[in-house]
Amino acid sequence: MRHAKSSWNHPGLSDHDRPLNKRGLRDSPLMAQFMNRQKLAPSLILSSSANRAKTTAELFQSHLEAPAQWEIVEDFYLAPPGIYVEHVMRIPDEISQVILIG
């Protein structure tokens, strides 16, 4: 899942530190509610360390019906797809639904 809409209103911030904008803050909980309705809520959330991805993960997780564990993965920030695949391959078999946020 891509992070929610980020803000460009703080030109002095690094790309890594950009926050979500109002739409992003609104949409993250809506995505969790959609996933709940579809019975697709994850039991694990892996998020990039970028502020906008972490905030998306926090908001998303807080609106899931079933609690989900979530972790920050430093390697995800600006990573190529292969890095995501490597992390997915390490997930234990008992975890059946995972969301990656980058």
Side-chain angles (χ1 to χ4, degrees):
M1 181 170 86
R2 188 176 189 278
H3 63 76
K5 188 79 173 152
S6 59
S7 173
W8 290 90
N9 292 336
H10 309 282
L13 287 179
S14 71
D15 177 67
H16 188 268
D17 295 332
R18 280 190 296 119
L20 295 181
N21 67 13
K22 288 179 186 176
R23 179 175 146 197
L25 293 169
R26 181 198 70 211
D27 289 351
S28 296
L30 293 176
M31 180 56 83
Q33 292 165 4
F34 171 80
M35 298 292 279
N36 288 330
R37 286 192 306 276
Q38 299 301 313
K39 305 291 187 224
L40 295 173
S43 54
L44 176 63
I45 301 167
L46 299 178
S47 172
S48 163
S49 61
N51 184 32
R52 59 195 177 272
K54 288 190 305 188
T55 304
T56 299
E58 289 170 5
L59 289 169
F60 180 82
Q61 191 271 349
S62 70
H63 286 82
L64 292 173
E65 290 174 358
Q69 172 187 347
W70 73 281
E71 301 172 17
I72 302 299
V73 180
E74 296 291 335
D75 294 349
F76 281 4
Y77 180 65
L78 299 179
I83 297 296
Y84 287 82
V85 172
E86 286 176 21
H87 282 275
V88 168
M89 298 303 290
R90 291 188 216 134
I91 295 170
D93 290 340
E94 62 269 13
I95 298 176
S96 61
Q97 295 189 167
V98 179
I99 291 277
L100 310 175
I101 300 176

